[in-house]
Amino acid sequence: AITSDGVSTSLLYRETEKAKFKPVLTTNFKETMSPQFFTFDNKKLYASSNIGRDKAAIVLFDPVTGKEEDVLFENDEFDVDGLNYSRKDKKLLAASYTGVKQERHFFDEEYKAIFEKLEKQFPGMEIFMTSSTDAEDKFIIRTYGDKSLGEYYLFDRTTGEVSDIANPSPWINEENMASMHPISYQSRDGLTIHGYLTLPAGYTMETAKNLPVVVNTHGGPVASDSWGFNPEVQFLANRG
């Protein structure tokens, strides 16, 4: 269980349903300890944590001792906050984080091969597996892009076949939309700031000169924007 007073957050744990919850760890607003799920023997926790480090990493955490036991994956530049697993095979599949786009570190080679095949089929699109059958032989796939909201597909793991399910925004004409370009720059104190630049249709990074600029700043201090379709940004770019 997790409790918060608005500033500090506490992780609570109990061995059985008859036992009382006890505080295991308390963090302040600068720290993150986000449990993902229990290990497959139901004893430890997989979690995303930045305690003792600058960026959040996927760690193995013991809820009895309140101690981190191992770092499973970390990235020097971005917080790692996602972890996928196979419920059927009881194994970790991939850790994920938001970099320039959605990035994955694969623990499982078969799962990696599936994504590589899908990425070739949907070049330039973000790809997410949103659900699966209990047998994990069929998956609902959702794609996203910067010029549309993508589509839903059914992926047959056995045959490799991908078939359409639905387009959530068929009224959007991608030819009229603007591209979202990942950018980065150095702040005055030497920090690398990541962002996205959307140019009016017809302009490239090389030909865009002396255009008006709207800086659309996200909430902070630890939030991050992501690459993808943004109707407000598209409207502004459409107006030049």
Side-chain angles (χ1 to χ4, degrees), residues 50-235:
N50 69 351
I51 298 175
R53 57 179 65 84
D54 184 58
K55 303 291 188 300
I58 297 299
V59 302
L60 184 65
F61 181 83
D62 188 336
V64 175
T65 64
K67 302 293 183 181
E68 177 185 308
E69 292 192 345
D70 193 16
V71 178
L72 303 183
F73 178 72
E74 60 184 333
N75 183 278
D76 293 337
E77 201 169 3
F78 301 103
D79 292 313
V80 185
D81 54 10
L83 191 62
N84 299 102
Y85 69 100
S86 167
R87 187 182 298 272
K88 179 177 73 73
D89 297 329
K90 292 182 172 55
K91 63 180 180 180
L92 297 179
L93 298 177
S96 60
Y97 58 95
T98 301
V100 173
K101 292 186 178 181
Q102 185 73 9
E103 307 289 346
R104 294 176 179 86
H105 169 79
F106 293 96
F107 298 108
D108 182 76
E109 289 300 318
E110 185 179 1
Y111 192 66
K112 179 181 179 181
I114 290 174
F115 263 90
E116 289 177 343
K117 182 176 181 178
L118 291 171
E119 286 170 350
K120 290 180 180 179
Q121 189 157 352
F122 302 105
M125 301 292 284
E126 296 277 49
I127 302 168
F128 296 90
M129 291 184 175
T130 63
S131 62
S132 74
T133 58
D134 289 341
E136 297 182 5
D137 58 346
K138 292 182 176 64
F139 295 84
I140 301 295
I141 303 295
R142 175 70 191 270
T143 62
Y144 291 93
D146 58 344
K147 295 183 178 182
S148 78
L149 293 173
E151 294 193 43
Y152 287 96
Y153 299 91
L154 178 65
F155 171 65
D156 190 313
R157 185 176 182 176
T158 304
T159 65
E161 182 181 356
V162 177
S163 53
D164 290 332
I165 295 178
N167 182 342
S169 55
W171 55 85
I172 295 178
N173 185 348
E174 293 192 29
E175 294 181 359
N176 297 333
M177 298 297 115
S179 298
M180 179 181 279
H181 304 274
I183 61 169
S184 64
Y185 58 93
Q186 295 292 313
S187 65
R188 285 174 296 180
D189 59 356
L191 187 68
T192 298
I193 306 297
H194 293 275
Y196 302 93
L197 175 63
T198 301
L199 300 170
Y203 286 93
T204 66
M205 295 288 281
E206 291 73 28
T207 63
K209 304 291 182 182
N210 300 318
L211 293 173
V213 175
V214 175
V215 179
N216 195 342
T217 309
H218 66 70
V222 295
S224 173
D225 280 335
S226 58
W227 183 88
F229 186 81
N230 184 316
E232 181 184 15
V233 169
Q234 289 292 340
F235 175 79

